[in-house]
Structures are given as structure tokens and as C-alpha cells.
Amino acid sequence: MKFITEKMNLLPKTHEEFATVDYWNTFFKKRGEKAFEWYGEYLELCEQIHKYIRPNDRILMVGCGNSKLSMDMYDSGFKDITNIDISAVAIKKMQEINARNRSDMKFIQMDATNMSFDNEQFSVALDKGTLDALFVDDSENTQKTVEAYFKEVGRVLRNGGRYVCITLLQEHILKYVVEYFPKNAFMLRIVHCPDADKANQEKNVDNPDAVSMPVFTIVATKFKSLPMPILEFSYSSDKVQRFNSTIDLQNSVKSLQTAAVVCNGLGRTDVVGHNDVSIDLCKPGESNPRYTVHIVDQPPTRGLGKYAAFIVPQGREVEWLFATSKGRKKLLEQSKFQRMAVVTLHRDQCYQSMEEVNAELADSIKSFAPIGLKEQIPFLSIGADMGTRTTLYKGTSDISGDFLVEEVKGSDDKTFRRLIFMNNQAVVQSEALIKKVKIKGKEHEKIDFGYLACQHHAYMSLGVQLAADSEQQMRNVLVVGLGGGGLCMFLHEAIPNIDITAVDIDPAMANVAEQYFGLQKDERLHIVIEDGLQFLNNCTKEGRRFDAILFDVDSKDLTLGMSCPPPAFMSHDVLLNLKSILSENGLFILNLVCRDETLREKTLDDLKEIFPSLCSYKLDEDVNEIIYGTNNDKYKNLPAWKKSLGASGQKLNSVTKKKKLCKDEVLDVTDFLNELKI
């Protein structure tokens, strides 16, 4: 961590010099008459000073240097101030400066680790940067020096007196402070100083090497004894949070420091050519994020604005344009700005209006701006409506964990119903479009079975259509992974000559699909609650055959490089079972979501060992990849496949454009086949 000053050549060559008398004497000689303010001036610190120090307090200023702080405090009504410093040069200069107008303010050359004052002489010990100058590292000798300093401060303070320390709280200092003061009967509060932060950032606008770290005030109040440690943190003046453990207090400080590092980096560099930077924002004292901010950049060109914020309406954060790094880059290109902060709202939070959101985010958005930005930051969105989100049902499954069913208002005033797994809230597990129909003159809401929310479901549906023939002969289709049942109901309605068996291990999903997503079992749609792997094994033993087998099952382990399907479904034994129950001209259709390229290549190699023909289609707007495998080489080359498909009697309308199938429209699959990669 660097200490930021106006002239870099005034910093010591090594940080160990900070604690030496010679260093400080030389330092103040170089500074001359000019005051040196390490962490802010009086105006930037006065909120904390006036809150924790009274005008009638007897104040000891520890390590005054040539700072103007005690002079400004004196002029503001704090008359009883005694200043000490290890540097005789600094004390002499301060005596000369204050001899005429502040003659009763004392300046004494003294070592803070060995003071000559009587016990309990002061009600406040004020330290601005002295602790940081003493605590140069975490060595044993340094800790002994700091302990001597703290013991002296405790000795000269009265009972109920306060040690008020302005500091950057480096990691080793923070750890020592939160252990020392509670152990020695001090109530400990750490206060963030946002005004000092802003001032330091403004001072360092033209310094490309400067890193402005957050400024904190330690307020340690002395008691004879305490029944239990009192640990508090104040992010801002209006809210104080109490903790039961020192770890929680340390984490609150560290989170601010980490954010400062990120903001400093973003202020001076960009993320062009990299994934965007994502930052969660919480209310002080709360752990659940209220907003997530994604910072995305593009190269500066003529005509581009510098910076803007984009607020994503509630419910739309799962759309490709907002949910993926590629989508957000596309949004940035369309917006005509060099940098954009794309902000998403969280479903467990309440938002009153877009105006309230903009006001609440204003300071945070500004902290992510390029250094030196003076233009007003525009807040953009899709219209003035921030969207609505309503929770219909919350449930818990032994297999899927906590989940909920919600309704959101999307674009064009459409209403969508969604199934969300709480362990992966950024992904919509199932989505249905709600349509309004009139029955006996009254308007009712129904599920639109002709709607497909997912691009990968559209291409899986095309695969099922490829497996159906022109003679309208009934074909057996196996779907492993039910979810909300949207894919099954879509296939059931769009392709009348198929008999669907859907298998899911989670009975809670079958109930949700029926109650909230309109799943309707009949003689052509059967639901089996069973482990999909066991079901495949049983089918092999029973000699059952299917003309199309769809794998659309997600992994519950989010740490794996492949989130769909679970790795167990790609084992050699399972693939052999698949091959055995797939009819001669049948089609295996896999929804593959794999971010690990090595694992993806291995999966494809494993599939090639089993299936003579293998094709894949990579979706443009998703990480999904649809894999098609067959038991023969009927579809080995595209010309033969095109000819076979051209004779299909049952054709569907273009799902790639409308994401909807209708029985009375036709589909030309030639363009789709041209995009397939063998």
C-alpha cells in the first residue's frame, strides 16, 4: 500500500524509516512552512472530530508534525490542546507559527511511547497518522513499539476517555487493533470517513501512480472493565453496526478497502479485451446484495460519451443482453459510450421507483467513473418503468434446494412466469408466457404452450422434429429433466405424432410444473419420478426403445466446469445404455453447457466413440451447445440429411426467429442445417 503525498520524493526509501527521529526531522526541514496532511484536513474530518470530541475536552494531539489540524480545531473552539511530536524540528516550527495567535496551545517534543505526563491527564488522545507511521510492519520489534504506545495512551487517558485515531488501517494494523483494545477494556468503534476519501481522490486526479485508500477513524473508549467486548462499525455517520466477533469487524473494513482498490483501478485503466468487472453493492450493515454493477468498456473513438449507467428493469436481468458479458458489450456498443455501469436489481430487495434507485446509486456509480470525469453521468434504462416482480410461491426441495416461482412484467407488457433455483438466481430454470383468454365473456390467464423461452429448447425441438417421420407414425420421445415442463408441453402441442416420457428425480419439480406451469399428463405425456440414470439402466434391461432421447438436466454442483448435464450422465456406461435404447434411426439430443474447453473436448470425444454420426450447434446468445448423435451414419453428411428432411410431412415454423411453433405453418430447415458443424 502506498502513502499518497503531493511530492513523491518526500516519502522514505523504505517504510522502516517512518519510525525514526532522523527521518522526521529531515522530512519537516524539507517541508518548510508548508503543512502536511496525511489523511485529510479539518473540514474533511470535522464530522468525526465534532462527534467524538467535545470543545471542553482536554486533548492530547499525538504526533502533531506540522499539521494544521490542531490549529483549525483551536480556532473552532477546542482550546485545551497539548501537541507532542518526536521531531524537535516540527515542534520548534509549530511553536513559532502559533506564538502570537494561539499562545496557550502547548507544543512539546516528546516520544509518544514514553510520555512524561501524569496518569489520566487527558480526556481525548487524538492521532492522525501517527499509529500508521509507527506500525511500519508486523515484526516483533514493531509490535513492541506499538504496544508501548497504546499502553502510554491508555495510561494518560481518564476513565471514559477516548483514543481517536485517523488511519488507513492496513491489514496488520487492523488485526492488531481489533485484538488489543477489546482485550484491554476499551469499547472499539471503527468509523469510515467518506469526506476524507473524496478529498484524497480529488487531490490525486493528476497522479497516475496514486492509490487513494479509504480513511477510517478508530474510536477506542477506555473503561475500567467491560462485561463483554463491544465491537462496532460505522460505514457512514447515520448507521452503526455492532458485531459479535472481531472477524466480522475486520471483514467490514476489508470490504471497503477492496472496493477502493477496484475503484482506483477502474478510474485509471479500462477492461477492454477482458471480461467486465462485477461488483455487489449492499446497504450498510446488510450482507445481501441490493445491486450488482457490471463495468464494461470499449476503445475510445470519436463521438463516444465517456461514461453512463444503465439500470436493468426488474425481471430482465436474466436476458442475454444483460446477463452475459458478451451481451453487455453489445449493449455498450449500442449506447455510444466508452464505459457503462450496467446495474441489476435483486429479487429479495424492494425498490419504490426509478428515481429512488438513481438517487441511491449516484455516489457508487460516480466511484466507478474514469478519474477526472467532470461531465454529468447519465442514467439510462428501457423506458421509465423499473419493472415489476411478484413471488407466487416459495418452496424447498431435498434435491434442488430453495426455489421460487415468480411473475415478471417483460417487454411489450408481457407477463412471464419463472422457476428460479435460489442457489443460481442468475439463471431461469423454466419460463412460461402468460396469455389472456376469454371464457364465457370473462378474461382468464393461461400458459401459452406455443412459447419457448430458451434458444436451446428451440433447437432441441427441431431435433425431435427430425426424428419424426412423414407417415405420422407415433414416435417415442424420452426427455430427461422436467423442470417446469415447458419443453414437454411445447413438444406435446406442436408435434402430435409423438409419445413423451419425461423423467425427473425431483418430485417437487413435477408438482410445480403441474400447479404453476400448466403441465397436463395424458395418454401422450407421462411423468416418471426417478433418477434418470436408473431409468436408463432399467430401459436397457427391459429392451425399451426411443426414437428421440433428450438430455436437459442441470448439475447441482456449480463448481464444475460443466453445468449441464451432470458428469455422471456422460460416463461410458450411461452412453452405452443410451445407444442400446435409441432406435436404429433415432436421435440423441444433448443440451451441453460447458465452460471448460478441455472438458468439452473430452465429452465430444466420448460421444464420438458411441455414436457414428455427431453434429453440434453452438448458440449465439447462450453458452449452450446442442449435440445431435445417431446410431447409424444416415446423417453422416449434410446433403443426405437435407434430402431426408426435405421429405418430412410434419413441418414447423421458424423457431429461430419467432421462438414459437404453430401446427399450421411450415419450416424450411435448410438454413439451420447449413449452420451445423460436423
Side-chain angles (χ1 to χ4, degrees):
M1 182 183 296
K2 295 180 180 178
F3 288 86
I4 309 307
T5 66
E6 299 167 26
K7 293 184 178 181
M8 297 302 289
N9 64 340
L10 297 181
L11 288 177
K13 296 177 183 177
T14 61
H15 63 260
E16 287 83 359
E17 295 180 42
F18 266 49
T20 66
V21 176
D22 290 343
Y23 168 73
W24 290 112
N25 282 332
T26 304
F27 178 89
F28 287 116
K29 284 179 181 177
K30 286 184 178 181
R31 293 294 301 180
E33 300 293 330
K34 190 173 182 180
F36 188 75
E37 306 298 343
W38 283 109
Y39 305 137
E41 301 182 15
Y42 172 72
L43 288 177
E44 297 142 17
L45 300 170
C46 64
E47 180 179 354
Q48 284 73 36
I49 290 172
H50 284 269
K51 184 170 183 177
Y52 297 107
I53 305 174
R54 300 183 299 267
N56 61 348
D57 274 326
R58 191 171 188 187
I59 304 167
L60 172 64
M61 182 73 73
V62 188
C64 63
N66 68 345
S67 168
K68 288 182 60 186
L69 181 59
S70 62
M71 293 184 280
D72 290 334
M73 289 178 63
Y74 183 94
D75 295 341
S76 299
F78 299 89
K79 299 302 182 182
D80 193 347
I81 304 177
T82 298
N83 300 269
I84 67 170
D85 198 278
I86 197 172
S87 169
V89 174
I91 292 298
K92 183 179 179 181
K93 287 187 177 294
M94 294 298 279
Q95 288 172 338
E96 294 171 353
I97 292 170
N98 292 281
R100 176 178 296 180
N101 297 324
R102 307 176 189 89
S103 58
D104 55 340
M105 189 160 62
K106 304 177 186 67
F107 291 90
I108 306 171
Q109 193 269 325
M110 189 181 295
D111 185 347
T113 66
N114 186 23
M115 293 185 272
S116 58
F117 299 118
D118 293 338
N119 294 346
E120 300 186 355
Q121 191 170 339
F122 299 96
S123 55
V124 171
L126 180 56
D127 169 344
K128 191 174 77 137
T130 298
L131 174 62
D132 292 5
L134 289 174
F135 216 152
V136 293
D137 55 37
D138 202 20
S139 67
E140 184 178 350
N141 287 336
T142 299
Q143 289 195 30
K144 287 181 179 179
T145 301
V146 173
E147 183 177 11
Y149 169 52
F150 280 168
K151 282 183 176 179
E152 281 292 272
V153 168
R155 181 182 66 80
V156 302
L157 276 179
R158 300 167 183 166
N159 188 46
R162 288 172 170 165
Y163 171 60
V164 180
C165 175
I166 315 298
T167 171
L168 295 182
L169 278 180
Q170 291 169 273
E171 185 174 1
H172 63 282
I173 298 177
L174 174 62
K175 182 179 179 182
Y176 190 88
V177 162
V178 299
E179 291 176 356
Y180 179 87
F181 285 111
K183 184 172 62 178
N184 289 276
F186 279 79
M187 170 183 169
L188 178 62
R189 176 181 293 180
I190 296 178
V191 183
H192 177 226
C193 306
D195 291 340
D197 289 356
K198 292 178 184 177
N200 289 338
Q201 291 167 6
E202 290 171 1
K203 292 174 185 176
N204 293 317
V205 165
D206 298 324
N207 187 349
D209 297 320
V211 178
S212 301
M213 296 304 295
V215 178
F216 298 95
T217 300
I218 297 171
V219 183
T221 306
K222 176 184 174 181
F223 292 97
K224 290 182 179 178
S225 64
L226 286 172
M228 60 182 295
I230 300 178
L231 306 166
E232 296 179 336
F233 179 74
S234 177
Y235 176 77
S236 58
S237 59
D238 59 345
K239 190 162 187 176
V240 176
Q241 185 177 10
R242 183 165 291 188
F243 297 106
N244 294 321
S245 74
T246 58
I247 296 298
D248 291 337
L249 179 55
Q250 290 183 72
N251 287 340
S252 293
V253 173
K254 289 177 182 178
S255 66
L256 272 176
Q257 293 170 329
T258 300
V261 172
V262 172
C263 292
N264 273 283
L266 288 172
R268 292 170 169 80
T269 60
D270 56 51
V271 292
V272 175
H274 303 278
N275 289 333
D276 44 20
V277 174
S278 299
I279 304 159
D280 287 332
L281 301 178
C282 307
K283 280 188 174 182
E286 297 182 3
S287 57
N288 291 335
R290 182 161 172 80
Y291 302 98
T292 296
V293 182
H294 307 275
I295 306 298
V296 57
D297 288 317
Q298 63 178 326
T301 56
R302 194 171 183 178
L304 289 182
K306 287 187 177 180
Y307 180 46
F310 188 97
I311 312 300
V312 180
Q314 292 184 96
R316 301 197 64 175
E317 69 280 348
V318 296
E319 296 178 16
W320 176 82
L321 195 63
F322 311 121
T324 67
S325 182
K326 287 184 179 180
R328 291 188 288 266
K329 287 179 181 177
K330 185 71 174 178
L331 177 67
L332 177 66
E333 293 171 4
Q334 297 171 351
S335 71
K336 307 297 183 183
F337 285 91
Q338 288 177 220
R339 167 172 293 180
M340 179 173 283
V342 182
V343 183
T344 58
L345 317 182
H346 284 248
R347 58 175 43 85
D348 58 346
Q349 300 285 329
C350 180
Y351 309 93
Q352 298 298 326
S353 65
M354 190 66 78
E355 291 74 17
E356 177 204 53
V357 168
N358 292 352
E360 192 174 22
L361 283 168
D363 285 343
S364 296
I365 293 299
K366 191 180 298 182
S367 68
F368 303 132
I371 291 293
L373 180 74
K374 297 180 179 179
E375 296 89 339
Q376 185 174 356
I377 302 171
F379 279 73
L380 313 175
S381 189
I382 305 173
D385 187 4
M386 61 185 296
T388 58
R389 189 193 330 249
T390 305
T391 299
L392 301 181
Y393 177 71
K394 288 184 177 181
T396 300
S397 161
D398 293 337
I399 296 169
S400 303
D402 293 339
F403 64 89
L404 60 81
V405 178
E406 65 181 15
E407 280 190 359
V408 299
K409 280 286 182 67
S411 57
D412 302 326
D413 204 33
K414 292 180 179 179
T415 300
F416 299 92
R417 186 170 295 173
R418 292 172 176 168
L419 172 62
I420 305 291
F421 290 160
M422 301 309 290
N423 63 351
N424 193 12
Q425 297 185 43
V427 175
V428 176
Q429 208 287 331
S430 296
E431 180 180 87
L433 174 65
I434 306 297
K435 64 179 181 181
K436 295 181 178 180
V437 296
K438 284 190 175 182
I439 301 176
K440 296 182 179 180
K442 292 185 178 181
E443 195 172 71
H444 296 267
E445 290 186 344
K446 292 187 65 176
I447 302 295
D448 185 353
F449 296 129
Y451 169 78
L452 277 182
C454 309
Q455 207 180 16
H456 71 273
H457 278 174
Y459 288 100
M460 295 184 85
S461 301
L462 279 173
V464 176
Q465 168 60 19
L466 303 183
D469 60 22
S470 61
E471 299 176 358
Q472 299 299 309
Q473 179 181 349
M474 290 298 292
R475 296 296 184 182
N476 293 321
V477 175
L478 172 62
V479 179
V480 181
L482 176 65
L487 175 60
C488 290
M489 288 305 300
F490 177 83
L491 294 172
H492 179 274
E493 294 294 303
I495 310 177
N497 65 318
I498 59 174
D499 187 291
I500 304 169
T501 299
V503 180
D504 201 291
I505 194 174
D506 193 348
M509 293 304 101
N511 293 333
V512 165
E514 290 188 62
Q515 294 180 32
Y516 292 97
F517 291 89
L519 181 70
Q520 301 169 11
K521 295 180 287 187
D522 60 16
E523 68 278 0
R524 290 180 46 235
L525 177 55
H526 320 280
I527 308 299
V528 178
I529 303 302
E530 189 177 348
D531 185 337
L533 299 176
Q534 185 60 49
F535 183 85
L536 294 173
N537 190 49
N538 293 340
C539 289
T540 301
K541 294 177 180 178
E542 297 167 5
R544 294 184 63 177
R545 295 290 184 272
F546 295 93
D547 301 294
I549 301 176
L550 286 65
F551 272 14
D552 189 30
V553 55
D554 65 316
S555 173
K556 303 304 179 186
D557 188 349
L558 301 179
T559 64
L560 302 175
M562 186 164 66
S563 56
C564 189
F569 280 77
M570 291 291 98
S571 71
H572 187 70
D573 289 343
V574 172
L575 294 180
L576 288 177
N577 284 340
L578 273 175
K579 183 178 179 65
S580 69
I581 67 174
L582 191 65
S583 64
E584 182 182 354
N585 294 321
L587 191 63
F588 169 56
I589 307 165
L590 168 67
N591 174 29
L592 178 65
V593 181
C594 188
R595 293 174 174 81
D596 185 326
E597 187 59 32
T598 302
L599 184 56
R600 174 186 173 273
E601 291 297 329
K602 180 183 182 306
T603 300
L604 292 179
D605 289 342
D606 292 343
L607 289 168
K608 288 174 184 176
E609 289 184 14
I610 303 297
F611 298 104
S613 297
L614 200 68
C615 296
S616 72
Y617 184 81
K618 186 73 176 67
L619 303 187
D620 295 331
E621 294 190 355
D622 287 305
V623 294
N624 305 68
E625 183 176 7
I626 305 304
I627 309 295
Y628 306 86
T630 65
N631 261 346
N632 55 43
D633 58 2
K634 178 179 179 181
Y635 304 131
K636 187 70 176 179
N637 59 77
L638 286 180
W641 200 348
K642 290 179 185 178
K643 186 175 181 180
S644 173
L645 292 170
S648 175
Q650 175 67 35
K651 295 185 179 180
L652 310 172
N653 76 308
S654 176
V655 295
T656 59
K657 294 180 180 178
K658 297 183 179 179
K659 292 188 179 179
K660 184 175 179 180
L661 298 184
C662 299
K663 299 175 186 177
D664 56 349
E665 296 184 29
V666 297
L667 164 66
D668 183 357
V669 296
T670 304
D671 291 340
F672 166 71
L673 289 172
N674 283 334
E675 298 184 66
L676 282 174
K677 308 166 191 173
I678 296 182

